[in-house]
Amino acid sequence: AVDYALSWGIDAIEARVTELAEHLRTLLSNLDGVQVHDQGDRRCGIVTFTVDGVPAQQVQRQLSARSVNVSVSLVAYARLDLPARGLPDLVRASVHYYNTHDELNRLVESLPSAVPK
């Protein structure tokens, strides 16, 4: 794994992760009932979002059933951020440089009640 990462180079990995994460944010933002909650001028490969009316844990279970791996950022573990913004638990997708656009599309297509705007 280290040799593979070194063959890419750190700068190329950063560029790839940034591009994939922004692509995922765009895909999610184009769905009715899905909100992306990432902030900052320079965002990383972690994409957080909610689906209206569907708890984050339920979204995670549904995606897992379709072999899409995400986790949940719990309010209890982000007490300085999520409550201040009035946010519930969030679905957290961690994009990696070896992910593909097809995998991101599969994540979006597997969301409950995901409807393109």
Side-chain angles (χ1 to χ4, degrees), residues 20 28-29 43-44 49 52 54-55 77 83 88 91 106 109 117:
L20 287 171
L28 292 167
S29 295
R43 297 185 285 194
C44 66
F49 63 95
D52 289 349
V54 185
Y77 299 149
V91 181
R106 189 162 52 92
E109 292 163 1
K117 289 183 182 175

Side-chain angles (χ1 to χ4, degrees), residues 58-105:
Q58 183 177 335
V59 173
Q60 187 274 330
R61 283 191 302 273
Q62 182 167 335
L63 291 173
S64 179
R66 295 184 175 159
S67 299
V68 176
N69 294 318
V70 296
S71 61
V72 174
S73 290
L74 300 171
V75 170
Y77 299 149
R79 288 187 257 162
L80 298 177
D81 181 34
L82 300 184
R85 294 196 285 153
L87 295 174
D89 296 342
L90 303 177
V91 181
R92 174 185 165 137
S94 299
V95 177
H96 298 281
Y97 67 101
Y98 49 77
N99 287 127
T100 66
H101 284 100
D102 287 342
E103 289 171 326
L104 301 181
N105 291 335

